[in-house]
Every structure is written in structure tokens, then in C-alpha cells.
Amino acid sequence: MSPPPRPETTVAAKVFPSPNHGERKDGRRPDMLILHYTGMPDAGEALQWLCNPISQVSAHYFVFEDGRVIQMVPEARRAWHAGASYWDGETDLNSRSIGIEIANPGHPGGLPPFPDAQIDSVAALARDIVSRWRIPPTRVLAHSDVAPGRKVDPGELFPWHRLHEAGVGHWVAPASIRDGRFFARGDEGMPIEALQAMLTMYGYGLKISGVFDENTEKVVAAFQRHFRPERVDGVADASTITTLRDLIATRPQSVA
């Protein structure tokens, strides 16, 4: 009898295999890390769903509320977690990424805070993954970043700054919210074109049209959810634009 498979990271306690994976296309290697929440009331049920062939979804790792980590899919395999998505010119993100599912009921369950033990484990796991695969900080992303409007996880309460403190991801202190000029749905002109250009420069999928349309609003909200979570409204106020500018200005040129 062969021994049970061992996790590829010391952060994970064991392997609980999911059948939902395939070959990474075109021989691609992981150069992105995408974080999700489960969005289900019970962690055990969420885990079973991710390992059920009927669901057609999976991720490489699963982190319980108490900090326990298990591996579901080998890192070299293409887990099915990102779905229809886009980042920095690429669309088949499942072939380029490693996915982490974080047990949390999410917005449907009132978006409860993430326990400290869970975030500590997510940070340790993410740090190990980005180190081994040399994933750049700007490619550690939320599901909402790569699928604006369609997905909102892991949500505005996820503490990205704590991951950054652990050496994972790109982050700047969000600019303070204050009164002043803002841009919203229906606005047009060069300032909107400049905003759209900045968002696409960072990696978001958006047409540069000079019109603040529904898609622009969705992308701005996704940006806020990750980088300026105090107010997520899809309105490009001075705080949002300044935070985006600071992120572009401090974007690392080397890998993590």
C-alpha cells in the first residue's frame, strides 16, 4: 500500500485531493497567486464542494478559520478557481496561477472578519508559494481583481496589509478620504481616459474609452475593495486616484 501524498508546503497539514484539475496549457508555470473566500456558511461543506467532481471547481489550497491548511490540487496542475478572468493582457489565469480558498461565509453571510489564526496561515502559505515560484508582488491578487463585477471575494475586510507586512503582495497606505472632485458613472473626457489608462497600466481589464461606463465603475469598485477598502462605491474620488497613482509609482520591478 502506497503512503498518502505529502503536501508541497510545510504550512499544509495534509492532502485532501480534488479531482477537479487538468494540465496547465502551453506548458505555463504559475506566476500568479489568487485569493478567494468560499462564500459558504460551513467550511466543511465548502471543502466537500471543491472536491466534488459535479462542482467543476477547485483550488490548490484551503485554509480553515482556525488556521489549518490542506492541499487539494498539486501546484503543477491547473486548478479550476479563477473562471472567466483577466489580468495584464492574459485570460487563461487558471494556467498561470495558484489558488487559495479561505473559509469565510463572505458577503452572503454578512462578511464576518477573518480570524487572526487564519490570516497568519494564509500569510505563511502565500509567502512560501511566492518564494518558491518567484511570483511578483503585483501578481498576488483577489478574485475580484481578475473578475470585476462578477466576483467580490475575498472582500473588503480581507487584510491585505497584513500579507504585505509578511512580505507578500503589493500595498501602499490608502490615501485619506476627503471632500473634493470625483468621477462617476456618466462622466466623460480626458480625466476619465487617464483614469482608465492608469487602471489598465496596473493590470485591470478595461477599455480606454474616455467614458465612465458600467465596466469602469466595476473596475474602480474592485480596485477599492483591494486597495482602498474603507469605502467601496465605484466612484473615483481623490483618495482612490491617489492610491492608484501611489501603487503605480511604487510598483516593484523585480520578483518577490
Side-chain angles (χ1 to χ4, degrees), residues 70-84:
I70 60 173
Q71 184 169 3
M72 293 181 288
V73 174
E75 292 180 6
R77 300 287 289 175
R78 181 180 182 273
W80 305 337
H81 60 100

Side-chain angles (χ1 to χ4, degrees), residues 176-178 180-184 195 212 220 224 228 231 233-243:
S176 299
I177 296 175
R178 59 186 187 275
R181 190 179 183 189
F182 62 86
F183 302 106
L195 169 66
F212 201 117
V220 170
Q224 292 169 334
R228 206 291 304 274
R231 181 191 296 167
D233 56 8
V235 174
D237 58 0
S239 168
T240 300
I241 295 171
T242 300
T243 303

Side-chain angles (χ1 to χ4, degrees), residues 24-34 60 77-79 81 87 90-99 135 139:
R24 293 188 183 274
K25 297 179 181 178
D26 301 324
R28 293 176 176 177
R29 63 182 297 281
D31 64 359
M32 302 179 68
L33 179 63
I34 299 177
H60 295 87
R77 300 287 289 175
R78 181 180 182 273
H81 60 100
W87 189 257
E90 301 173 42
T91 55
D92 181 18
L93 301 191
N94 281 341
S95 288
R96 301 299 298 262
S97 63
I98 290 175
I135 295 174
R139 292 174 75 85

